[in-house]
Amino acid sequence: MTTEILRYSAFTDDPAGGNPAGVVLDASGLDDPAMLAIAAEVGYSETAFVTGGDAERRRFRVRYFSPLAEVAFCGHATVALAVALAERLGPGEVVLDTPAGEIPVSTAVDGAGAVRATLTSVPTRSRPALPAERDAALGALGWTAADLDPALPAHVAFGGNDHLVLAAASRARLADLDYDFDALAEVMRRYGWTTVDLVWRESAGLYHARNPFPVGGVVEDPATGAAAAAFGGYLRELGLVTGPATIAVRQGEDMGRTSELLIEVGPRDPRTRVTGQAVPVSGASV
């Protein structure tokens, strides 16, 4: 028996950019060890598996696996999956039932013929990080409190998964990322974080981000839709969104895989909408 594995790069229009994800459109015959083995062989930060659903109703059950473990939700693999479904079923609305909850996704074809997907996150939340949480992460990163932007305090933000948000005081600090992989993984496992969302504010409408993901066996994600969703909740919680806003998050620049994520945030809706493209990289069977 072979399993068809599609490969898409999300949050980019260039197969050499963005964040690649595996997509398995028919995983109904796969058990957990098989899905984990496929995700490990694919080697991307996540692979999305459609374990069931109804194509006529455009509703599907989805699970996500990193090379090391299952994760409750993955934004870039969701965008990749939605684009793959749009190419087969036509653009429009789909609903994904994920371990994190129900995720509606809208797809549309833009003027250049590219498919864009907008996912609506589960309700977000954000709370100040405890000093012990922040300091443990800083130690593993090799950062100090002086490296942080005091106007953007450390928070633990949720958008399907928990992410520690740390805002760098300068673009240079964000660019200089050389952390202790095992130490940060241990801190993240201790506190239950999926990524550490390192950000730098260029302007109110543009942030730069980097996302270490050692608990998934990946040094860094070049695009992290789940963290972007959580970040929308963080901005709302801080009162930095006073009306409906669209904010760009640029990620992957320091890895040579530039990604563009757009988040839509409102002051009263607890959800975040995350928009991006995805393009095929290749197809394969295992």
Side-chain angles (χ1 to χ4, degrees):
M1 177 181 176
T2 61
T3 299
E4 184 182 20
I5 303 166
L6 307 173
R7 289 167 168 82
Y8 282 76
S9 200
F11 296 111
T12 183
D13 59 2
D14 179 0
N19 196 0
V23 174
V24 177
L25 293 176
D26 182 6
S28 57
L30 301 177
D31 59 13
D32 289 19
M35 287 188 280
L36 183 59
I38 289 172
E41 183 162 344
V42 170
Y44 296 155
S45 56
E46 273 96 9
T47 295
F49 295 86
V50 178
T51 59
D54 186 333
E56 288 188 5
R57 295 176 57 228
R58 298 174 69 99
R59 187 169 193 129
F60 303 92
R61 295 190 302 276
V62 183
R63 296 174 68 183
Y64 308 92
F65 283 81
S66 81
L68 293 183
E70 184 174 10
V71 296
F73 176 64
C74 172
H76 83 276
T78 294
V79 167
L81 170 59
V83 170
L85 289 172
E87 290 175 348
R88 287 151 182 81
L89 303 177
E93 306 291 327
V94 296
V95 177
L96 306 180
D97 292 306
T98 79
E102 180 181 290
I103 305 292
V105 189
S106 173
T107 56
V109 179
D110 66 18
V115 179
R116 297 179 68 83
T118 298
L119 68 87
T120 300
S121 76
V122 298
T124 62
R125 58 180 182 266
S126 188
R127 63 160 177 86
L130 299 174
E133 293 174 318
R134 187 199 70 167
D135 293 346
L138 290 176
L141 288 167
W143 290 21
T144 70
D147 290 317
L148 300 179
D149 182 346
L152 297 171
H155 267 225
V156 176
F158 175 84
N161 309 303
D162 281 327
H163 306 263
L164 177 68
V165 180
L166 294 175
S170 68
R171 183 67 181 87
R173 173 69 277 182
L174 186 67
D176 184 15
L177 181 62
D178 183 16
Y179 71 91
D180 186 324
F181 185 92
D182 292 332
L184 187 58
E186 191 280 325
V187 170
M188 294 171 68
R189 282 192 290 267
R190 184 193 317 162
Y191 293 116
W193 305 327
T194 297
T195 74
V196 176
D197 192 19
L198 306 174
V199 301
W200 175 70
R201 178 168 57 181
E202 179 174 325
S203 68
L206 174 60
Y207 289 79
H208 300 253
R210 302 188 73 171
N211 283 86
F213 184 37
V215 292
V218 176
V219 173
E220 182 180 356
D221 253 354
T224 317
F231 186 64
Y234 167 84
L235 295 175
R236 184 187 302 106
E237 181 64 24
L238 291 184
L240 296 175
V241 175
T242 58
T246 300
I247 297 161
V249 177
R250 189 168 297 153
Q251 193 177 335
E253 297 165 294
D254 299 296
M255 303 173 64
R257 297 190 67 95
T258 300
S259 306
E260 299 285 347
L261 301 85
L262 291 178
I263 60 175
E264 297 174 64
V265 188
R268 286 175 292 279
D269 188 345
R271 302 169 300 171
T272 303
R273 288 170 177 79
V274 183
T275 297
Q277 292 180 229
V279 291
V281 177
S282 66
S285 295
V286 171

